[in-house]
Amino acid sequence: SLFRLKDFEVAKLGDSDVHVKMLAAPVNPADINMIQGTYAILSPLPAVGGNEGVGEVLEVGSRVAALKPGDWVIPATSGLGTWRTQGVFPERMLLKVPSDIPVLCAATLSVNPCTAYRMLADFETLAPGDSIIQNAANSGVGQAVIQIAKASGIKTINVVRDRPDLPKLVERLMALGADHVVTEEMLRKPEMKDIFKSIPKPRLALNCVGGKSTTEMLRHLQPKGTMVTYGGMAKQPVMVPVSAFIFRDVRLRGFWITQWRKDHEQDQQSVTSMMDALCQLIRRGHLTAPACTQVPLQDYKEALEAAMKPFTSSKHILLL
């Protein structure tokens, strides 16, 4: 195994540093890909895993102005290493979040909801009544997309893989605010036409799978619509029929939240307004944490194994 649970000294607090007691940190597939070395970021080893989580500020250096003891913080960048009980981090690597939101919402805020929010906002101008289509709709991002879209009056067509407990999954996604839940097989069926009797064809498709699922989803996109790829769970390329390009002029884009953060380092306003919007949705009950299984740190092996299993419908969160 690549993993060890180790004790080490907490670093000395520098002038611009913040001493944080971690509260909770999820285990995401990307965290594991990063450790396997198959991700676009490589941490110098030995490294602490985990890119997401929430902690409480214990102490701040003399130059730290924006944070004080008792504040809650989440990572502002990838590669923070959240799977630990405490750490000392430079202030610029942390974002303050309100401590009146549920701890599991805060712990799962910095990656999936931010990804969902940006993809809904940055590629197509969507108005209430418009629709979007997405695959892997039961993923963390997928669940956030459903809820954020619902709060904005945008209809969602949600594609999931067929599975033994399909009715249960459909029910769960509908409860989150999904308008339609279909399997990949149904994308090819004539019944899809029935959906578009009541809602317009989507102008935006969100793809986290690749392969056949993506090609099928693309068929339903409006002319000049955009498909954004943010993951490739099927490990297959995105195949686009030539006719979709020529006769419907669809646009293909990519999105990676890490890159978005890099591009907006000098633009704190856009980061703040996104975090404010997401925290407002959480407070109003419009955005909830994904289904979570809470695991004490010493049982980390179980959490890591669970994160890589197919059809996982619960996110494992380390309680620190």
Side-chain angles (χ1 to χ4, degrees):
S1 155
L2 296 160
F3 299 98
R4 301 271 183 285
L5 197 52
K6 281 185 88 87
D7 285 323
F8 58 91
E9 288 286 302
V10 175
K12 256 179 71 71
L13 189 72
D15 288 346
S16 305
D17 289 342
V18 180
H19 183 184
V20 177
K21 170 185 182 291
M22 291 304 297
L23 301 171
V27 177
N28 295 315
D31 301 332
I32 304 206
N33 298 147
M34 205 161 142
I35 292 155
Q36 290 166 337
T38 57
Y39 202 61
I41 322 173
L42 289 176
S43 295
L45 297 173
V48 178
N51 289 297
E52 204 178 21
V54 62
E56 183 184 333
V57 175
L58 294 177
E59 200 187 345
V60 299
S62 56
R63 285 219 199 96
V64 174
L67 294 171
K68 59 184 188 311
D71 284 347
W72 277 15
V73 288
I74 63 173
T77 52
S78 289
L80 191 69
T82 53
W83 301 343
R84 61 172 102 210
T85 53
Q86 20 184 305
V88 169
F89 308 106
E91 178 184 20
R92 63 180 168 74
M93 292 178 80
L94 303 169
L95 282 178
K96 182 177 167 176
V97 291
S99 54
D100 65 346
I101 61 174
V103 71
L104 294 181
C105 287
T108 53
L109 186 56
S110 65
V111 180
N112 295 336
C114 291
T115 299
Y117 183 91
R118 296 267 50 112
M119 291 195 303
L120 287 170
D122 294 352
F123 295 94
E124 288 282 343
T125 311
L126 299 169
D130 284 344
S131 81
I132 66 134
I133 188 167
Q134 65 164 345
N135 55 22
N138 58 319
S139 67
V141 171
Q143 293 177 50
V145 164
I146 290 171
Q147 296 175 82
I148 296 167
K150 171 88 175 166
S152 324
I154 294 158
K155 310 285 182 201
T156 57
I157 301 158
N158 300 281
V159 185
V160 295
R161 284 182 296 178
D162 201 1
R163 63 194 65 211
D165 59 348
L166 185 66
K168 217 160 58 204
L169 176 62
V170 171
E171 196 182 317
R172 221 183 62 232
L173 296 182
M174 297 298 270
L176 287 179
D179 295 283
H180 299 276
V181 181
V182 298
T183 62
E184 295 187 347
E185 292 68 38
M186 278 174 67
L187 282 176
R188 279 192 278 295
K189 302 260 166 69
E191 290 88 278
M192 281 300 286
K193 289 200 177 69
D194 296 341
I195 289 182
F196 300 120
K197 284 176 185 156
S198 57
I199 63 173
K201 287 214 152 191
R203 281 228 306 273
L204 179 67
L206 305 178
N207 166 48
C208 171
V209 180
K212 201 184 252 167
S213 164
T214 308
T215 312
E216 294 300 339
M217 199 163 63
L218 212 51
R219 285 172 189 231
H220 301 292
L221 205 55
Q222 269 190 39
K224 294 200 181 335
T226 305
M227 182 173 78
V228 183
T229 292
Y230 69 99
M233 282 163 28
K235 297 192 167 49
Q236 288 160 353
V238 167
M239 308 282 272
V240 181
V242 169
S243 61
F245 274 133
I246 298 176
F247 302 121
R248 291 196 293 125
D249 190 17
V250 297
R251 277 179 291 200
L252 298 196
R253 301 286 306 272
F255 182 78
W256 188 32
I257 190 69
T258 305
Q259 186 62 46
W260 185 90
R261 291 214 155 93
K262 277 202 190 81
D263 297 345
H264 292 81
E265 269 168 352
Q266 302 314 311
D267 175 15
Q268 273 315 297
Q269 189 42 51
S270 61
V271 179
T272 314
S273 66
M274 167 172 71
M275 298 318 283
D276 288 350
L278 291 170
C279 289
Q280 275 300 81
L281 288 170
I282 291 168
R283 281 199 198 94
R284 295 193 184 131
H286 294 324
L287 180 61
T288 55
C292 292
T293 304
Q294 301 177 38
V295 183
L297 183 59
Q298 54 272 23
D299 300 343
Y300 71 94
K301 285 202 172 90
E302 174 199 322
L304 296 174
E305 276 160 21
M308 294 316 271
K309 282 203 185 92
F311 299 131
T312 336
S313 50
S314 183
K315 199 182 268 295
H316 281 60
I317 298 215
L318 298 170
L319 293 184
L320 308 156

